[in-house]
Amino acid sequence: MTIASRLPFEIIRDPAAMRARAEDLRRDGRRIAVVPTMGYLHDGHLSLLRAARAAADVVILTIFVNPTQFGPSEDLARYPRDEAGDLAKARPCGVDLAFCPDVAGMYAPGAQTFIEVRELQRPMCGETRPGHFAGVATIVAKLFHLTQPHVAFFGQKDYQQVALIRRMVRDLDFGVEIVACPIVREADGLAMSSRNAYLAADERAQALALSHGLAAADAAFAAGERDVAALIAAARAPLDAAPAVRVDYVELRDADDLTAITTVTGRAVLAIAAFVGKTRLIDNRVLGAKA
Ligand code: PAF
């Protein structure tokens, strides 16, 4: 890992100051890792920070609830925020610098330039969240410009997001290595998410239908099933049986380019989005891979 000594922890809020600091760090020959987040950190985020710590000299955590990736009827205003709590959790994981800009700093008045990853943004979450991935791609590009990372860490729970960021980085020659870290789950299997905080006790119990659906389809796959419709039916059964759960989508697609398939012949990802009460949760599993 690091040859250079650790830096004293700092918080930067001003984007221009962040870029100047990152340029200095690069000039000093430091390898920079960034972990972009919207805050309200859970163990999944902390696993990204630990992986970043092991891979770089300087670990930058970004905390920014990005308005452009929320639709007009989504949860931007009530999205959970706890900067002090986040920093208390992040610092023991080896973060050197937290970049915590505000909306006015990140979006100049009249900002109208957006990055669109045309095909990858379309299916799955793109269908119910139009504009979401343009918001994600744009803010991630901006965060890369400001933090100048050599390597960036994202959670595999946001499978489509990772695929899209990889494609953007390749297509636009960002020169940043993208590392996707495994989904971190609660003891009973629920994928960790900042949005789990919204769930009432009964909803929390029914939210297990997502991981149960993935497990059911994976069991069918292990037993030899390769027909996409049948695998999706297996995944849907626990979701349809849970009264508080409303399926947004259950899709089984090529794991690399997310194109539609009818039979599984190579690596395939099963992805679920479902509302549990009013809370929209996502989860996924590459069939046949370690859960
Ligand atoms: O995954 C997230 O938390 C966000 O989509 C990201 C990548 C930080 C962009 O706002």
Side-chain angles (χ1 to χ4, degrees), residues 36-38 64 66 69 136 139-140 154 158 161:
T37 78
M38 298 206 301
F64 180 63
N66 172 37
Q69 69 188 74
V136 169
I139 198 66
V140 170
F154 295 89
D158 298 298
Q161 169 172 283

Side-chain angles (χ1 to χ4, degrees), residues 71 155 240 285:
D240 292 338
R285 183 160 173 160

Side-chain angles (χ1 to χ4, degrees), residues 14-53:
D14 175 51
M18 179 66 251
R19 194 204 304 259
R21 190 81 184 87
E23 280 166 3
D24 283 348
L25 291 166
R26 280 209 168 224
R27 240 186 324 269
D28 289 351
R30 306 230 185 204
R31 180 170 161 81
I32 302 175
V34 70
V35 180
T37 78
M38 298 206 301
Y40 216 68
L41 303 185
H42 51 65
D43 283 352
H45 296 114
L46 303 186
S47 76
L48 304 180
L49 292 171
R50 291 191 195 99
R53 181 70 270 161

Side-chain angles (χ1 to χ4, degrees), residues 66 68-71 74 125-126 129-137 161 195:
N66 172 37
T68 66
Q69 69 188 74
F70 288 78
E74 292 183 356
C125 290
R129 306 189 68 191
H132 168 68
F133 285 121
V136 169
Q161 169 172 283
R195 290 189 168 98

